[in-house]
């Protein structure tokens, strides 16, 4: 009996924290995106979390502009201020997609009403500083989600956006490096994949994420040589 209870509790826990589609996502499949539909030509989706970061984001935007690549930026509301607002405006001006992110796992504990109100306020803030509204997409911190989170997203017609399996820059409790990111992505990337890297840090808004710029600079030409183009999750 206790074994069954433990297994059930484990399943519930994994449904909230698994870095891949799981039980909650299957139950909310119309509001959950871990992979994008097939397109012609085959398309890869670069996404960047935890910005805007005045230390790293400017160089990343310059790189993407030189390469003529559009990406998706998942922004943390409390990182948007007078110093970083011009970066948000440039994201829109350069044709990038802008969506919402969170700095804490606590969002999964919010009531549907509180989550909906919080995301609306974040979207209003972006529109206020950049004169453009983010698309209706949200990626919670570390991907931790809950049934109440999905209910809150439904209230405001938002989509939960995850990432494709192992296509992230988290380096398993070791320091993130460009080499590790490039090796992992190039060995797995396929059409429709969502790749997640970090131009910011949820707890250190000025931390230099140089590895992300370096990895992106190496990934773009190599993926292009494989026949991929780049899109945004808001396309």
């Amino acid at each position: 009996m206790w074994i069954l209870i433990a297994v059930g509790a484990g399943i519930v826990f994994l449904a909230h924290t698994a870095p891949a589609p799981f039980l909650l996502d299957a139950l909310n499949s119309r509001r959950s995106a871990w992979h994008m539909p097939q397109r012609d030509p085959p398309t890869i989706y670069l996404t960047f979390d935890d910005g805007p970061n005045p230390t790293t984001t400017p160089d990343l935007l310059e790189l993407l502009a030189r390469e003529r690549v559009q990406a998706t930026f998942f922004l943390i509301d409390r990182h948007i201020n007078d110093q970083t607002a011009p970066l948000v405006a440039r994201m829109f001006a350069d044709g990038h997609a802008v969506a919402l992110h969170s700095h804490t796992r606590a969002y999964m504990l919010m009531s549907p009403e509180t989550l909906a109100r919080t995301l609306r306020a974040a979207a209003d803030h972006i529109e206020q500083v950049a004169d453009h509204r983010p698309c209706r997409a949200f990626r919670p911190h570390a991907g931790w989600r809950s049934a109440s989170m999905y209910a809150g997203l439904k209230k405001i017609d938002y989509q939960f956006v995850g990432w494709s399996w192992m296509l992230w820059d988290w380096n398993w409790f070791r320091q993130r490096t460009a080499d590790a990111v490039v090796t992992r992505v190039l060995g797995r990337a396929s059409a429709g994949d969502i790749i997640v890297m970090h131009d910011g840090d949820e707890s250190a808004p000025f931390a230099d994420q140089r590895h992300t710029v370096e990895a992106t600079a190496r990934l773009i030409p190599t993926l292009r040589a494989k026949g991929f183009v780049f899109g945004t999750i808001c396309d």
Side-chain angles (χ1 to χ4, degrees):
M1 177 65 178
W2 287 110
I3 293 177
L4 292 176
I5 293 174
V7 170
I11 290 174
V12 171
F13 178 78
L14 287 173
H16 291 75
T17 65
F22 204 65
L23 178 61
L24 282 175
D25 312 291
L27 295 173
N28 295 274
S29 58
R30 293 185 179 181
R31 203 157 297 279
S32 172
W34 294 85
H35 194 272
M36 298 296 283
Q38 296 290 335
R39 297 175 64 176
D40 187 21
T43 304
I44 293 285
Y45 299 84
L46 300 179
T47 69
F48 299 96
D49 284 6
D50 287 355
N53 175 1
T55 306
T56 303
T57 307
D59 291 339
L60 180 59
L61 288 171
E62 287 293 329
L63 167 65
L64 294 171
R66 288 196 305 271
E67 294 288 351
R68 298 184 180 181
V69 166
Q70 275 74 52
T72 306
F73 288 85
F74 286 86
L75 304 184
I76 293 177
D77 182 49
R78 68 177 187 173
H79 289 182
I80 301 172
N81 50 44
D82 290 344
Q83 183 179 9
T84 60
L87 297 175
V88 182
R90 181 175 178 180
M91 290 171 189
F92 285 107
D94 286 358
H96 300 298
V98 174
L100 303 182
H101 194 38
S102 59
H103 67 283
T104 172
R105 293 171 175 83
Y107 278 49
M108 66 183 285
L109 303 177
M110 290 180 175
S111 69
E113 294 75 19
T114 299
L115 179 70
R117 184 168 60 251
T118 300
L119 296 186
R120 277 202 194 101
D124 290 344
H125 187 197
I126 290 174
E127 186 174 27
Q128 187 178 51
V129 303
D131 201 30
H132 291 276
R133 200 163 184 85
C135 67
R136 295 177 179 271
F138 172 64
R139 175 182 285 158
H141 177 59
W144 283 35
R145 53 214 184 272
S146 63
S148 63
M149 178 178 286
Y150 272 116
L153 295 177
K154 183 177 180 180
K155 281 183 172 294
I156 52 176
D157 194 24
Y158 266 59
Q159 191 87 354
F160 172 96
V161 178
W163 49 81
S164 300
W165 175 245
M166 289 294 288
L167 295 183
W168 54 68
D169 62 357
W170 183 47
N171 207 21
W172 303 103
F173 305 108
R174 300 188 299 274
Q175 183 178 0
R176 292 177 178 130
T177 67
D179 285 342
V181 175
V182 170
T183 299
R184 181 180 296 132
V185 169
L186 292 183
R188 295 178 173 85
S190 60
D193 278 340
I194 301 171
I195 298 168
V196 58
M197 294 180 279
H198 291 74
D199 61 321
D201 185 297
E202 79 282 353
S203 58
F206 298 97
D208 194 344
Q209 304 293 318
R210 191 62 35 196
H211 68 277
T212 292
V213 181
E214 294 173 4
T216 304
R218 293 162 60 183
L219 286 171
I220 289 172
T222 308
L223 290 170
R224 273 186 171 144
K226 291 176 176 286
F228 293 111
V229 299
F230 299 93
T232 77
I233 58 95
C234 300
D235 287 346

